[in-house]
Amino acid sequence: MTALRCFSVCSLLLLNASAGFGDLRRPENVSMDSLNTRYVLRWDWPHETAANQTVTFTAQYIQEFRTQKKNYEKYWKSVCVNVLEHHCDLTGAALHYLGIYLLRVQANTSQQTSGWVQIRFCPDKHAALGPPSSVTLNSVEGDLEIIITDPLSSTNQSMKTLLDNRFSYHIQYWRRSEEPQTAKVLETKNNVVTLTELDRQTWYCVRVQSRDDFSEKSSVFSDTHCTRTEGQMPYWQIFLYFLISLLLLLYFCFKKMFPLLKNTFCPAIQLPDHIQEVKGWKCTKIKWHQLNHSTAAAEVKL
Ligand SMILES: *[C@@H]1O[C@H](CO)[C@@H](O)[C@H](O)[C@H]1NC(C)=O
Ligand SMILES: *[C@@H]1O[C@H](CO)[C@@H](O)[C@H](O)[C@H]1NC(C)=O
Ligand SMILES: *[C@@H]1O[C@H](CO)[C@@H](O)[C@H](O)[C@H]1NC(C)=O
Ligand SMILES: *[C@@H]1O[C@H](CO)[C@@H](O)[C@H](O)[C@H]1NC(C)=O
């Protein structure tokens, strides 16, 4: 199987095919920037070299198995020829997803040509997987229905179809009032999923990640979507909320009224100095009696 061969042998090797070229510097940091089946080859160029000359680049690719034959040079296909940019879009080349390719890039001025810089690229192993192209969340009678649209290839083909049964979705869901780290997870191959046994009248958030189970690739998460579950709240919950509201109301009422009550029942009278020395007394009707005792005690001491 092509894919298996790719996985057993392939690591993004950097090979230098040199000899027989001028001394123009090669492009550096050649890498593939990929998402689903969009492939863009990128490289750097040290600007200080050949400062006064126009430098252009040529990128080519070949299926690796062809290089096992003689005279395979003719099978290299050029994608970008003498371009000024430091990237080349290979999306249109329609590389087979399970294929193994060699890609190479060369710098060129009117007088000199650099050696090629070559990398190995297996889309199945190296290409990044995209998140679902859309996620919709519906509240259905106390449950949550998640509708997931597959990530799409450059030709709008489903990546799920391309990866067949290796493809799955990793769903995270959590109460909005809590942190996403506390999320519950759900693995599925379905595009419509219903979350049940949720709290009623509660906001939930959901995000989804695409996964390739075989190559252990996973996409970034989709945007987070939140919605509130419907359904009747249980009576005990309604009662609890009522009770909490009532207690809060009473508390604030009392807090507001307290200074008023204090002024009414405890007018600010200038007390004699020796009474003020008595510590810890509180201004209530009852305490007035205690105060008299304390005053007596203080007088006894004196
Ligand atoms: C290649 O990448 C390295 C590390 O990111 C960087 O330091 C270097 O400048 C890059 N080369 C060029 C020619 O930009
Ligand atoms: C670039 O051109 C300037 C004059 O236009 C010259 O002095 C300089 O040596 C040239 N540099 C290179 C790298 O050829
Ligand atoms: C190098 O690039 C120039 C354009 O900058 C082009 O005219 C020339 O044919 C190229 N040479 C090779 C060997 O590709
Ligand atoms: C893919 O779908 C998008 C949006 O529906 C559309 O704009 C684009 O042209 C399509 N591309 C191809 C290659 O069919």
Side-chain angles (χ1 to χ4, degrees):
M1 190 191 164
T2 327
L4 279 175
R5 213 180 87 205
C6 191
F7 277 92
S8 55
V9 192
C10 197
S11 57
L12 213 62
L13 285 175
L14 200 73
L15 305 168
N16 289 330
S18 59
F21 293 102
D23 48 8
L24 188 63
R25 283 185 63 170
R26 297 162 203 268
E28 287 178 15
N29 302 334
V30 180
S31 65
M32 189 58 117
D33 187 359
S34 57
L35 185 66
N36 296 332
T37 64
R38 289 173 193 84
Y39 313 122
V40 178
L41 190 66
R42 295 186 188 279
W43 56 88
D44 289 332
W45 175 253
H47 290 280
E48 70 276 10
T49 53
N52 295 347
Q53 292 164 300
T54 308
V55 181
T56 60
F57 303 91
T58 297
Q60 299 182 329
Y61 73 93
I62 193 171
Q63 276 188 287
E64 194 190 47
F65 75 87
R66 291 198 187 277
T67 64
Q68 283 154 12
K69 295 174 187 159
K70 280 182 188 168
N71 306 323
Y72 65 85
E73 281 293 325
K74 62 178 182 236
Y75 292 114
W76 283 99
K77 289 187 187 126
S78 294
V79 199
C80 300
V81 180
N82 293 324
V83 294
L84 289 165
E85 302 87 48
H86 296 177
H87 56 87
C88 178
D89 194 339
L90 280 97
T91 308
L95 304 184
H96 192 280
Y97 199 70
L98 299 178
I100 310 170
Y101 294 89
L102 300 179
L103 312 170
R104 63 182 191 177
V105 59
Q106 181 186 49
N108 160 47
T109 64
S110 51
Q111 279 126 42
Q112 291 171 304
T113 304
S114 80
W116 293 97
V117 182
Q118 183 171 301
I119 61 165
R120 198 157 185 256
F121 180 64
C122 310
D124 190 30
K125 181 167 173 62
H126 299 127
L129 189 60
S133 43
S134 83
V135 173
T136 340
L137 199 56
N138 298 317
S139 188
V140 183
E141 293 170 3
D143 295 336
L144 284 184
E145 182 191 58
I146 308 169
I147 302 171
I148 307 167
T149 313
D150 297 336
L152 297 178
S153 73
S154 56
T155 55
N156 286 349
Q157 190 195 353
S158 153
M159 288 304 288
K160 189 180 175 182
T161 313
L162 202 63
L163 293 173
D164 201 20
N165 56 6
R166 301 160 33 180
F167 188 90
S168 66
Y169 288 117
H170 177 82
I171 301 174
Q172 288 190 341
Y173 64 100
W174 65 96
R175 278 192 206 87
R176 197 173 67 170
S177 55
E178 291 169 1
E179 294 298 306
Q181 283 81 349
T182 65
K184 292 199 176 100
V185 299
L186 195 69
E187 303 288 341
T188 181
K189 292 185 188 295
N190 301 332
N191 290 73
V192 180
V193 177
T194 305
L195 303 178
T196 55
E197 292 174 16
L198 302 173
D199 291 345
R200 277 133 194 241
Q201 298 285 333
T202 307
W203 281 87
Y204 279 91
C205 294
V206 170
R207 62 180 184 180
V208 186
Q209 188 183 44
S210 313
R211 287 199 172 172
D212 176 347
D213 303 329
F214 180 61
S215 62
E216 288 168 4
K217 265 196 273 188
S218 50
S219 75
V220 297
F221 276 102
S222 67
D223 289 341
T224 300
H225 299 265
C226 301
T227 197
R228 199 169 73 155
T229 51
E230 292 166 353
Q232 185 69 51
M233 221 184 262
Y235 286 117
W236 67 265
Q237 215 169 350
I238 297 172
F239 180 71
L240 191 71
Y241 286 153
F242 173 74
L243 209 66
I244 290 171
S245 315
L246 194 70
L247 285 175
L248 280 176
L249 192 74
L250 282 174
Y251 172 75
F252 284 114
C253 237
F254 182 72
K255 219 176 151 183
K256 257 233 139 69
M257 294 295 285
F258 186 71
L260 203 67
L261 289 170
K262 197 173 158 189
N263 282 342
T264 313
F265 294 108
C266 178
I269 314 161
Q270 192 62 45
L271 294 170
D273 284 351
H274 69 278
I275 294 181
Q276 282 182 11
E277 276 172 21
V278 180
K279 287 179 188 146
W281 61 276
K282 295 235 167 64
C283 185
T284 62
K285 276 200 163 175
I286 302 159
K287 289 278 168 77
W288 270 112
H289 298 292
Q290 289 177 347
L291 184 66
N292 289 337
H293 289 297
S294 306
T295 314
E299 273 169 355
V300 167
K301 259 191 191 169
L302 284 171

